[in-house]
Amino acid sequence: MIKAVHLTKQLPNGKLLLNDISFEVSKGEFLGILGPSGAGKTLTLKSLIGLLDLTNGEVWIEESNNEHINIFNTKAKVLKKLRTKIALIFQGYHLVQRATALDNVLMGRLGSISTFRSLIFGFNEVEKKAAMSSLEKVNMQHLAQAKVASLSGGEKQRVAIARALFQEPNLLLADEPISSLDPKNAKIIMGILKELSTLFPVIGVFHQPELCAKYCSRIIAIKDGKKVYDGPPVLEESLLEFIYGEELAIVIPEKYAN
Ligand SMILES: Nc1ncnc2c1ncn2[C@@H]1O[C@H](COP(=O)(O)OP(=O)(O)OP(=O)(O)O)[C@@H](O)[C@H]1O
Ligand SMILES: [Mg+2]
């Protein structure tokens, strides 16, 4: 479970980048965050892992022992440990291009083992097997030894998800994970994220309202830093027009093809 309470970010000039955003996401939920460019979606995700210095607000994360921790009011050591169980997938993959798919997956646990052990001993056979099994879950085992640079966009994104899985996360956050993918790969990734949400909460930022309506269990829309919708993934045209304004023709181009 993750709970964001009154997330507020105000600039010294008074401008509100995040305006009192609250929501809670549980295991079994695949939350899609929608909104026009510059609305505050990425800032919201950053807040959830304590990467944004908020003006006001709290983020509570449930640990495996059911304890709830406010990430803005905890020791650095506790926060570091908590973050090892939060998987992040960002657009642009953040993969090491010259390393193999398997090695990139293994890097997912670098945060939770000591630098000493990673430098001196590397990863053990049990970990390598687990990394392979993460690649299998996204159907990439046959490309385990391929250099990431040689993979397609969809394959790279699957490696990024395998790396996230290898972390054995309690929470998965994804910022535009399908933006650079073709429709077929975008659907594959959405299907994988949906399946993962049965294991832990999955929160993703998207610019594809129609795919969100199909795969997400719930949607939040953010506009000018404010939450303007929180509910089932049924997006009526009037709501989409309200959320996106002139950008609607960009996010649903097929509707405006003629
Ligand atoms: N450090 C900062 N100082 C001032 N303004 C900022 C800062 N970081 C972000 N912003 C502004 O806050 C607004 C929200 O940014 P954010 O990155 O969350 O947008 P977004 O909804 O993710 O947009 P996109 O869909 O284009 O990625 C933008 O107008 C951005 O320029
Ligand atoms: Mg963004």
Side-chain angles (χ1 to χ4, degrees):
M1 193 278 298
I2 178 161
K3 188 175 179 180
V5 192
H6 301 311
L7 303 182
T8 304
K9 175 70 182 175
Q10 188 166 31
L11 295 178
N13 66 10
K15 190 179 178 215
L16 278 164
L17 299 181
L18 297 180
N19 188 352
D20 198 18
I21 293 178
S22 298
F23 58 89
E24 188 176 329
V25 190
S26 308
K27 188 168 103 173
E29 285 194 283
F30 176 11
L31 179 78
I33 301 180
L34 294 173
S37 187
K41 305 179 298 296
T42 296
L43 290 181
T44 301
L45 271 199
K46 282 186 174 169
S47 307
L48 297 182
I49 40 171
L51 288 179
L52 183 70
D53 190 17
L54 290 174
T55 310
N56 185 30
E58 295 169 1
V59 173
W60 292 87
I61 295 184
E62 186 178 2
E63 282 219 287
S64 23
N65 61 3
N66 295 340
E67 201 185 322
H68 292 77
I69 292 174
N70 177 3
I71 63 164
F72 288 103
N73 187 17
T74 190
K75 291 190 186 113
K77 209 173 152 189
V78 177
L79 183 60
K80 191 176 170 216
K81 189 166 161 250
L82 205 66
R83 281 191 182 139
T84 64
K85 291 290 172 191
I86 301 176
L88 305 172
I89 299 171
F90 286 103
Q91 194 188 356
Y93 323 111
H94 292 273
L95 297 171
V96 180
Q97 301 288 327
R98 280 177 302 169
T100 64
L102 183 64
D103 284 341
N104 268 278
V105 173
L106 285 162
M107 286 171 206
R109 274 196 206 165
L110 279 182
S112 44
I113 68 169
S114 72
T115 314
F116 176 77
R117 178 159 90 80
S118 66
L119 286 175
I120 306 299
F121 300 109
F123 290 91
N124 61 37
E125 285 309 310
V126 175
E127 285 163 328
K128 282 183 189 161
K129 260 197 168 147
M132 269 309 278
S133 124
S134 299
L135 281 169
E136 272 164 33
K137 287 196 183 104
V138 294
N139 201 15
M140 279 291 290
Q141 66 283 10
H142 57 294
L143 289 169
Q145 297 304 336
K147 290 264 191 321
V148 160
S150 72
L151 301 177
S152 75
E155 288 164 349
K156 282 180 189 166
Q157 201 56 290
R158 279 190 267 172
V159 173
I161 293 182
R163 184 179 58 183
L165 287 180
F166 181 62
Q167 250 180 284
E168 295 179 334
N170 296 327
L171 172 68
L172 193 154
L173 306 177
D175 196 4
E176 301 195 29
I178 58 170
S179 282
S180 55
L181 304 182
D182 59 90
K184 186 179 161 221
N185 274 305
K187 283 180 190 162
I188 291 172
I189 299 299
M190 289 302 269
I192 292 171
L193 293 177
K194 183 181 174 181
E195 214 177 295
L196 292 176
S197 68
T198 59
L199 303 172
F200 39 76
V202 174
I203 303 176
V205 168
F206 299 100
H207 279 292
Q208 298 81 357
E210 297 196 323
L211 283 179
C212 283
K214 209 166 160 199
Y215 290 91
C216 295
S217 61
R218 184 175 139 215
I219 283 174
I220 281 181
I222 297 176
K223 187 179 178 179
D224 298 330
K226 244 185 135 72
K227 188 176 86 170
V228 293
Y229 177 82
D230 186 344
V234 187
L235 293 163
E236 285 166 13
E237 201 156 326
S238 56
L239 179 65
L240 285 173
E241 274 168 15
F242 168 66
I243 297 170
Y244 288 104
E246 285 175 1
E247 260 186 51
L248 190 58
I250 302 168
V251 290
I252 319 181
E254 55 273 28
K255 271 205 176 148
Y256 297 84
N258 303 317

